[in-house]
Amino acid sequence: MSAGLPIVTTDRGAIAETVIDEEIGYVLDDPHPEQLADRLLRLLRDRSLRDRMAKAARARYLAEFTQERADRQLTEWLERVVAQRATADQRRR
């Protein structure tokens, strides 16, 4: 997604959870060669489909998966943990 390309993946693990089927790529139920070939040929033959999915993939990456976003989420989580700990410490006093 960060490269701005459509994704073709199987419905296994976390990758399938990040790919919106038929919006930013294809999520295949089973890794059958015929199904994979079909989806790849669709992308190769249809430039507008390929371009639309590529643009959507890049936009999803920028909105959800950048290092800056991960850093911000981690910082927010750590701030909440510290605040909860401080509140718990004050209650014990």
Side-chain angles (χ1 to χ4, degrees), residues 23-90:
E23 183 178 319
I24 65 170
Y26 294 110
V27 179
L28 309 178
D29 295 328
D30 294 304
H32 293 295
E34 297 82 12
Q35 190 181 31
L36 175 61
D38 175 69
R39 297 316 187 278
L40 292 173
L41 286 172
R42 285 184 197 183
L43 291 170
L44 288 170
R45 292 177 176 154
D46 189 340
R47 179 182 208 96
S48 66
L49 172 68
R50 187 172 62 242
D51 290 347
R52 181 177 49 81
M53 285 185 171
K55 182 183 270 190
R58 180 69 179 164
R60 180 156 169 79
Y61 166 77
L62 292 172
E64 301 290 333
F65 302 109
T66 62
Q67 185 62 51
E68 293 81 12
R69 185 166 193 272
D71 292 347
R72 188 174 57 251
Q73 286 178 317
L74 178 59
T75 299
E76 290 169 0
W77 179 80
L78 289 170
E79 288 171 347
R80 283 193 308 271
V81 169
V82 168
Q84 289 172 355
R85 179 67 187 253
T87 300
D89 288 347
Q90 287 177 349

